[in-house]
Amino acid sequence: MEKPELEVVVFSDYICPFCYIGDRRLARLAEHFDLKVDHRYLEIHPDTPPEGMPLSELGYAPDQWDRLMAHLSRMADEENIPLAEREFTANSHRALLLAEAAKEEGAEVFGALNERLFATFFTEGRNIGDEAVLRSLADEAGVSPGTVDRAWSEPAYEKSLGANRAIAAHLGITGVPTYLIGNRILVGAVPKKMLLEAAQEASPSTS
């Protein structure tokens, strides 16, 4: 039986661990739908220097941070995502530009890069703000060197990130991950059940 097509817009950033959780959960909708995901990137910590910075400088109170990490750990276990011990966050700008450009190489290449960017940062603890790391990941995923060079030199990709910020502001979106499914806006790494309910509303024939 042919699966109904489902279009989803997701706003995310590769340095957001909850976006990694959400990416896994969203992907499971492919069991029920011909999933078409429009990845829109929102850089959540643009002031982070290229070499990264300590997590302690993100401004969370210690007790708030501990609760957040405990919640993240539970969800990561549910999704079989092994989280590395990290003490730093990265500047994601180059990674986001690379992902924007990699969309032009097709779903398979983009999908491979998408997973490697998340896994490299959160399970391997490497700095995805580093150009050499990104070039290595792009090569692993099958992104052509020319596309990598264009990602960081052509203004079209910067314009895409700017357009994403404008759209998010218009919709009142201030955090990631955020999903647009049909007429619903879902914020955060929501349970798969909630994603599925929104998807079924958007595709009544599957209800």
Side-chain angles (χ1 to χ4, degrees):
M1 182 177 174
E2 191 171 314
K3 297 176 185 177
E5 184 172 298
L6 178 69
E7 295 184 358
V8 178
V9 176
V10 56
F11 289 85
S12 64
D13 190 339
Y14 287 110
I15 60 169
C16 166
F18 297 99
C19 292
Y20 194 10
I21 303 290
D23 194 66
R24 284 282 177 91
R25 291 178 174 175
L26 181 63
R28 293 212 299 275
L29 291 187
E31 299 167 14
H32 309 280
F33 299 92
D34 177 13
L35 196 57
K36 308 293 185 185
V37 182
D38 181 2
H39 293 266
R40 300 293 184 106
Y41 297 110
L42 286 179
E43 189 176 0
I44 57 175
H45 295 299
D47 295 332
T48 302
E51 66 274 15
M53 71 179 186
L55 288 171
S56 58
E57 294 185 19
L58 291 178
Y60 290 92
D63 59 336
Q64 181 188 15
W65 181 257
D66 289 344
R67 288 194 302 272
L68 193 65
M69 290 302 99
H71 182 47
L72 172 64
S73 181
R74 286 192 298 272
M75 291 197 294
D77 287 345
E78 291 171 5
E79 302 303 326
N80 296 314
I81 296 174
L83 295 176
E85 290 289 335
R86 288 186 307 110
E87 296 183 351
F88 78 98
T89 187
N91 183 298
S92 61
H93 193 75
R94 280 179 171 268
L96 301 185
L97 291 173
L98 176 59
E100 282 287 349
K103 292 176 184 178
E104 299 168 6
E105 303 242 327
E108 185 175 343
V109 169
F110 173 80
L113 179 68
N114 180 66
E115 173 60 27
R116 287 300 293 134
L117 285 169
F118 277 128
T120 297
F121 190 51
F122 289 112
T123 72
E124 300 169 19
R126 296 161 67 197
N127 183 5
I128 59 168
D130 182 271
E131 180 177 332
V133 171
L134 291 173
R135 286 189 180 277
S136 175
L137 297 182
D139 184 62
E140 289 175 30
V143 181
S144 69
T147 296
V148 178
D149 290 336
R150 287 199 309 277
W152 299 331
S153 63
E154 293 189 3
Y157 307 111
E158 288 283 2
K159 288 180 180 177
S160 292
L161 296 187
N164 293 343
R165 288 192 298 271
I167 293 167
H170 177 72
L171 294 172
I173 295 169
T174 58
V176 294
T178 296
Y179 307 90
L180 277 58
I181 304 177
N183 295 320
R184 295 183 62 177
I185 297 177
L186 304 176
V187 181
V190 298
K192 183 199 170 188
K193 180 181 178 182
M194 192 176 294
L195 291 170
L196 183 57
E197 288 172 352
Q200 288 171 337
E201 283 183 18
S203 299
S205 61
T206 65
S207 299

